[in-house]
Amino acid sequence: MKIAVILVNYNGLRYNTACVESLLRQQADCLLKIIVVDNASRDGSMQAIEERYGGDDRIETVLLDDNYGFSHANNVGIRRAVKWEADHVLLLNNDTEAEADMIAQLMACAERHRDSVIVPKIYYSDRRNVLWSAGGAVSPFVRKVRHIGLDQEDRGQFDQEQQVGFGTGCCLMIPRAVIERTGGLDERFFLYYEDTEYSFRLREMGIALYYCPAARLYHKVGASSKGADSPLCAYYIARNWLLCNRMHLGARYPLFLLYYAVNRTACCILWLLHGKSRLVWATGRGIRDHCRRKYGQIP
């Protein structure tokens, strides 16, 4: 069994070593390759990887000449993994640390649910008994996604392996057969909602997503965008949420637009009350760029 792990790096000097070391400690009966795809980092993070792991043939680095975003970099890594003839591709955030048996547990779950995409149980890295995601659910009408178990202390209440509606791009194990059917991530999203769109696409193609509670991962939430309270986050969520649901909701899209208007207006009012006008500006720009069909990286 050949497993390729794709790590997208953008100025991740603080995170890469802990993530890579947790992968190298994996107790899995497989041939493992770690493909680090760099979006033109400027913090010396790739030099640090070369210095530390340059002689390790389990680690391959790909240096891009610009920051092309999360989706594009993952797609570059996926193509490398397919060329290597990986049986499964594991998309993994570099601001994570995996338990030593995580990949083995994901592999076992994948054996039980052939040709399905598998997601682990994910905790906050600084609160290792508090859940960030126990799989994802999708609301029935406006198709809003949410993390199951978010911010709950893990008392075993989410220890049942089950099919879910949404898989976070923080960690997705995808069989090569599924990649050959679905293709990669949609590169218009650049950051945020590419995993939601991919989850919707899987469902429409009849491909299941399974949550594997025995596979455990710890996540430094918000590291890639400086947290949810940033203009960067507000912009991409405002724009990409519209794009994703325009692609997949069909006749329900007008109903979603009503919900979206109420949701974003409420957020903007709260931001203004707290003196966060930059978030309001970023939201407005995101909506404008969606209307103009301007996607990819914000200029």
Side-chain angles (χ1 to χ4, degrees), residues 152-188:
Q152 295 187 34
E153 183 180 351
D154 185 12
R155 301 185 303 276
Q157 69 272 43
F158 300 108
D159 280 354
Q160 181 178 353
E161 189 171 292
Q162 63 181 341
Q163 192 169 339
V164 294
F166 163 68
T168 171
C170 175
C171 185
L172 288 171
M173 176 171 269
I174 311 171
R176 189 173 68 196
V178 169
I179 289 171
E180 290 169 352
R181 287 184 60 193
T182 62
L185 303 178
D186 190 319
E187 297 184 11
R188 288 175 294 175

Short mmCIF file of all heavy atoms in Angstrom, two decimals, residues 152-188:
data_model
loop_
_atom_site.label_atom_id
_atom_site.label_comp_id
_atom_site.label_asym_id
_atom_site.label_seq_id
_atom_site.Cartn_x
_atom_site.Cartn_y
_atom_site.Cartn_z
N GLN A 152 -16.65 20.83 21.88
CA GLN A 152 -17.12 19.95 22.95
C GLN A 152 -15.96 19.12 23.51
O GLN A 152 -15.09 18.68 22.75
CB GLN A 152 -18.20 19.00 22.43
CG GLN A 152 -19.48 19.68 21.99
CD GLN A 152 -20.56 18.69 21.64
OE1 GLN A 152 -20.66 17.61 22.24
NE2 GLN A 152 -21.39 19.03 20.67
N GLU A 153 -15.97 18.93 24.81
CA GLU A 153 -15.01 18.02 25.41
C GLU A 153 -15.31 16.60 24.94
O GLU A 153 -16.48 16.18 24.89
CB GLU A 153 -15.09 18.09 26.93
CG GLU A 153 -14.07 17.21 27.65
CD GLU A 153 -14.17 17.31 29.15
OE1 GLU A 153 -14.91 18.18 29.65
OE2 GLU A 153 -13.50 16.51 29.84
N ASP A 154 -14.27 15.88 24.57
CA ASP A 154 -14.47 14.51 24.06
C ASP A 154 -14.67 13.56 25.24
O ASP A 154 -13.76 13.27 26.00
CB ASP A 154 -13.25 14.08 23.23
CG ASP A 154 -13.45 12.73 22.57
OD1 ASP A 154 -14.60 12.23 22.58
OD2 ASP A 154 -12.48 12.16 22.06
N ARG A 155 -15.89 13.06 25.33
CA ARG A 155 -16.23 12.07 26.36
C ARG A 155 -16.65 10.76 25.71
O ARG A 155 -17.32 9.94 26.35
CB ARG A 155 -17.35 12.61 27.25
CG ARG A 155 -17.03 13.92 27.96
CD ARG A 155 -18.15 14.32 28.92
NE ARG A 155 -19.42 14.42 28.21
CZ ARG A 155 -19.82 15.50 27.55
NH1 ARG A 155 -19.04 16.57 27.49
NH2 ARG A 155 -20.99 15.51 26.94
N GLY A 156 -16.28 10.59 24.45
CA GLY A 156 -16.65 9.38 23.74
C GLY A 156 -17.99 9.46 23.04
O GLY A 156 -18.46 8.47 22.48
N GLN A 157 -18.61 10.65 23.05
CA GLN A 157 -19.93 10.80 22.45
C GLN A 157 -19.90 10.77 20.92
O GLN A 157 -20.95 10.63 20.28
CB GLN A 157 -20.61 12.09 22.94
CG GLN A 157 -20.00 13.40 22.45
CD GLN A 157 -18.89 13.91 23.35
OE1 GLN A 157 -18.05 13.15 23.79
NE2 GLN A 157 -18.90 15.21 23.60
N PHE A 158 -18.71 10.89 20.33
CA PHE A 158 -18.59 10.85 18.87
C PHE A 158 -17.63 9.73 18.46
O PHE A 158 -16.78 9.91 17.59
CB PHE A 158 -18.11 12.20 18.33
CG PHE A 158 -19.04 13.34 18.66
CD1 PHE A 158 -18.67 14.29 19.60
CD2 PHE A 158 -20.28 13.45 18.06
CE1 PHE A 158 -19.52 15.34 19.91
CE2 PHE A 158 -21.14 14.49 18.37
CZ PHE A 158 -20.76 15.44 19.30
N ASP A 159 -17.77 8.59 19.09
CA ASP A 159 -16.89 7.46 18.80
C ASP A 159 -17.50 6.45 17.85
O ASP A 159 -16.98 5.33 17.71
CB ASP A 159 -16.50 6.76 20.12
CG ASP A 159 -15.38 7.49 20.84
OD1 ASP A 159 -14.84 8.47 20.28
OD2 ASP A 159 -15.05 7.11 21.97
N GLN A 160 -18.57 6.81 17.18
CA GLN A 160 -19.19 5.90 16.22
C GLN A 160 -18.74 6.24 14.81
O GLN A 160 -18.88 7.37 14.35
CB GLN A 160 -20.72 5.98 16.30
CG GLN A 160 -21.42 5.03 15.34
CD GLN A 160 -22.92 5.09 15.47
OE1 GLN A 160 -23.46 5.74 16.37
NE2 GLN A 160 -23.62 4.41 14.57
N GLU A 161 -18.19 5.26 14.13
CA GLU A 161 -17.81 5.43 12.73
C GLU A 161 -19.08 5.56 11.90
O GLU A 161 -19.99 4.74 12.00
CB GLU A 161 -17.01 4.20 12.28
CG GLU A 161 -16.37 4.31 10.93
CD GLU A 161 -15.41 3.14 10.70
OE1 GLU A 161 -14.37 3.08 11.39
OE2 GLU A 161 -15.73 2.27 9.87
N GLN A 162 -19.14 6.62 11.09
CA GLN A 162 -20.38 6.85 10.35
C GLN A 162 -20.15 7.69 9.10
O GLN A 162 -19.12 8.36 8.97
CB GLN A 162 -21.39 7.56 11.24
CG GLN A 162 -20.95 8.94 11.69
CD GLN A 162 -21.97 9.62 12.59
OE1 GLN A 162 -23.14 9.24 12.61
NE2 GLN A 162 -21.55 10.62 13.34
N GLN A 163 -21.12 7.65 8.22
CA GLN A 163 -21.08 8.47 7.03
C GLN A 163 -21.45 9.90 7.40
O GLN A 163 -22.34 10.13 8.23
CB GLN A 163 -22.04 7.93 5.98
CG GLN A 163 -21.87 8.54 4.60
CD GLN A 163 -22.67 7.80 3.53
OE1 GLN A 163 -23.03 6.64 3.72
NE2 GLN A 163 -22.92 8.45 2.42
N VAL A 164 -20.76 10.87 6.81
CA VAL A 164 -20.99 12.28 7.09
C VAL A 164 -21.18 13.03 5.78
O VAL A 164 -20.89 12.51 4.69
CB VAL A 164 -19.84 12.90 7.91
CG1 VAL A 164 -19.78 12.29 9.31
CG2 VAL A 164 -18.50 12.74 7.20
N GLY A 165 -21.63 14.28 5.90
CA GLY A 165 -21.93 15.05 4.69
C GLY A 165 -20.83 15.98 4.24
O GLY A 165 -20.84 16.46 3.11
N PHE A 166 -19.86 16.24 5.14
CA PHE A 166 -18.82 17.22 4.83
C PHE A 166 -17.50 16.74 5.42
O PHE A 166 -17.45 16.22 6.54
CB PHE A 166 -19.21 18.58 5.42
CG PHE A 166 -18.07 19.56 5.53
CD1 PHE A 166 -17.48 20.09 4.40
CD2 PHE A 166 -17.60 19.96 6.78
CE1 PHE A 166 -16.43 20.99 4.51
CE2 PHE A 166 -16.56 20.86 6.90
CZ PHE A 166 -15.98 21.39 5.75
N GLY A 167 -16.43 16.91 4.65
CA GLY A 167 -15.10 16.59 5.13
C GLY A 167 -14.19 17.80 5.03
O GLY A 167 -14.05 18.40 3.95
N THR A 168 -13.60 18.22 6.14
CA THR A 168 -12.73 19.38 6.13
C THR A 168 -11.43 19.09 5.39
O THR A 168 -10.85 18.01 5.52
CB THR A 168 -12.41 19.85 7.56
OG1 THR A 168 -11.39 20.86 7.50
CG2 THR A 168 -11.90 18.72 8.44
N GLY A 169 -10.97 20.10 4.62
CA GLY A 169 -9.71 19.97 3.91
C GLY A 169 -8.50 19.92 4.81
O GLY A 169 -7.39 19.70 4.34
N CYS A 170 -8.71 20.10 6.12
CA CYS A 170 -7.61 19.93 7.08
C CYS A 170 -7.02 18.54 6.98
O CYS A 170 -5.81 18.36 7.13
CB CYS A 170 -8.13 20.20 8.48
SG CYS A 170 -6.95 19.90 9.79
N CYS A 171 -7.87 17.54 6.71
CA CYS A 171 -7.38 16.16 6.57
C CYS A 171 -8.42 15.34 5.81
O CYS A 171 -9.52 15.11 6.32
CB CYS A 171 -7.11 15.54 7.94
SG CYS A 171 -6.36 13.88 7.85
N LEU A 172 -8.05 14.93 4.61
CA LEU A 172 -8.91 14.09 3.78
C LEU A 172 -8.08 12.96 3.19
O LEU A 172 -7.07 13.22 2.52
CB LEU A 172 -9.49 14.90 2.61
CG LEU A 172 -10.58 15.94 2.85
CD1 LEU A 172 -10.82 16.74 1.57
CD2 LEU A 172 -11.87 15.28 3.32
N MET A 173 -8.48 11.71 3.44
CA MET A 173 -7.83 10.58 2.78
C MET A 173 -8.69 10.17 1.58
O MET A 173 -9.84 9.77 1.74
CB MET A 173 -7.63 9.40 3.71
CG MET A 173 -7.06 8.18 2.99
SD MET A 173 -6.56 6.83 4.10
CE MET A 173 -4.85 7.28 4.39
N ILE A 174 -8.09 10.27 0.39
CA ILE A 174 -8.84 10.07 -0.86
C ILE A 174 -8.21 8.91 -1.64
O ILE A 174 -7.02 8.97 -1.97
CB ILE A 174 -8.81 11.33 -1.72
CG1 ILE A 174 -9.19 12.57 -0.88
CG2 ILE A 174 -9.75 11.19 -2.91
CD1 ILE A 174 -8.98 13.88 -1.62
N PRO A 175 -8.97 7.89 -1.98
CA PRO A 175 -8.44 6.82 -2.82
C PRO A 175 -8.11 7.34 -4.22
O PRO A 175 -8.77 8.25 -4.73
CB PRO A 175 -9.59 5.79 -2.89
CG PRO A 175 -10.53 6.17 -1.80
CD PRO A 175 -10.38 7.64 -1.60
N ARG A 176 -7.11 6.75 -4.83
CA ARG A 176 -6.74 7.18 -6.18
C ARG A 176 -7.90 7.00 -7.15
O ARG A 176 -8.09 7.83 -8.05
CB ARG A 176 -5.52 6.40 -6.69
CG ARG A 176 -4.96 6.97 -8.00
CD ARG A 176 -3.66 6.31 -8.40
NE ARG A 176 -3.88 4.92 -8.76
CZ ARG A 176 -2.90 4.01 -8.84
NH1 ARG A 176 -1.66 4.35 -8.52
NH2 ARG A 176 -3.15 2.77 -9.19
N ALA A 177 -8.70 5.95 -6.98
CA ALA A 177 -9.84 5.74 -7.86
C ALA A 177 -10.83 6.89 -7.79
O ALA A 177 -11.44 7.26 -8.80
CB ALA A 177 -10.54 4.42 -7.51
N VAL A 178 -10.99 7.48 -6.59
CA VAL A 178 -11.88 8.63 -6.44
C VAL A 178 -11.29 9.85 -7.12
O VAL A 178 -12.00 10.63 -7.79
CB VAL A 178 -12.17 8.89 -4.95
CG1 VAL A 178 -12.88 10.23 -4.76
CG2 VAL A 178 -13.00 7.76 -4.37
N ILE A 179 -9.99 10.06 -6.97
CA ILE A 179 -9.33 11.19 -7.62
C ILE A 179 -9.49 11.10 -9.14
O ILE A 179 -9.73 12.10 -9.83
CB ILE A 179 -7.84 11.24 -7.23
CG1 ILE A 179 -7.71 11.68 -5.76
CG2 ILE A 179 -7.06 12.19 -8.14
CD1 ILE A 179 -6.32 11.55 -5.20
N GLU A 180 -9.37 9.89 -9.66
CA GLU A 180 -9.50 9.72 -11.11
C GLU A 180 -10.91 10.04 -11.59
O GLU A 180 -11.11 10.46 -12.73
CB GLU A 180 -9.13 8.28 -11.48
CG GLU A 180 -7.63 8.02 -11.33
CD GLU A 180 -7.27 6.54 -11.42
OE1 GLU A 180 -8.20 5.71 -11.46
OE2 GLU A 180 -6.06 6.23 -11.45
N ARG A 181 -11.91 9.89 -10.71
CA ARG A 181 -13.29 10.22 -11.06
C ARG A 181 -13.61 11.70 -10.87
O ARG A 181 -14.29 12.31 -11.69
CB ARG A 181 -14.27 9.39 -10.23
CG ARG A 181 -14.37 7.93 -10.60
CD ARG A 181 -15.45 7.26 -9.75
NE ARG A 181 -16.76 7.87 -9.95
CZ ARG A 181 -17.82 7.64 -9.17
NH1 ARG A 181 -17.72 6.81 -8.13
NH2 ARG A 181 -18.98 8.24 -9.41
N THR A 182 -13.12 12.27 -9.77
CA THR A 182 -13.55 13.62 -9.39
C THR A 182 -12.61 14.71 -9.85
O THR A 182 -13.01 15.87 -9.94
CB THR A 182 -13.67 13.72 -7.86
OG1 THR A 182 -12.37 13.49 -7.27
CG2 THR A 182 -14.66 12.72 -7.30
N GLY A 183 -11.36 14.36 -10.14
CA GLY A 183 -10.37 15.39 -10.36
C GLY A 183 -9.93 16.00 -9.04
O GLY A 183 -10.18 15.44 -7.97
N GLY A 184 -9.29 17.16 -9.10
CA GLY A 184 -8.76 17.78 -7.88
C GLY A 184 -9.70 18.83 -7.31
O GLY A 184 -10.91 18.83 -7.56
N LEU A 185 -9.14 19.72 -6.52
CA LEU A 185 -9.89 20.81 -5.91
C LEU A 185 -10.09 21.93 -6.93
O LEU A 185 -9.26 22.13 -7.83
CB LEU A 185 -9.15 21.34 -4.69
CG LEU A 185 -8.84 20.33 -3.58
CD1 LEU A 185 -8.06 21.00 -2.46
CD2 LEU A 185 -10.11 19.69 -3.03
N ASP A 186 -11.17 22.67 -6.78
CA ASP A 186 -11.48 23.78 -7.67
C ASP A 186 -10.59 24.97 -7.31
O ASP A 186 -10.66 25.51 -6.21
CB ASP A 186 -12.95 24.15 -7.55
CG ASP A 186 -13.42 25.13 -8.61
OD1 ASP A 186 -12.66 26.07 -8.94
OD2 ASP A 186 -14.54 24.95 -9.13
N GLU A 187 -9.74 25.40 -8.26
CA GLU A 187 -8.73 26.41 -7.97
C GLU A 187 -9.26 27.83 -7.93
O GLU A 187 -8.54 28.75 -7.56
CB GLU A 187 -7.58 26.28 -8.97
CG GLU A 187 -6.88 24.94 -8.86
CD GLU A 187 -5.68 24.79 -9.77
OE1 GLU A 187 -5.23 25.80 -10.36
OE2 GLU A 187 -5.17 23.65 -9.88
N ARG A 188 -10.52 28.03 -8.27
CA ARG A 188 -11.09 29.37 -8.17
C ARG A 188 -11.21 29.82 -6.71
O ARG A 188 -11.26 31.02 -6.43
CB ARG A 188 -12.47 29.41 -8.82
CG ARG A 188 -12.46 29.33 -10.33
CD ARG A 188 -13.86 29.26 -10.90
NE ARG A 188 -14.53 28.01 -10.52
CZ ARG A 188 -15.80 27.75 -10.82
NH1 ARG A 188 -16.54 28.64 -11.48
NH2 ARG A 188 -16.34 26.60 -10.46
#
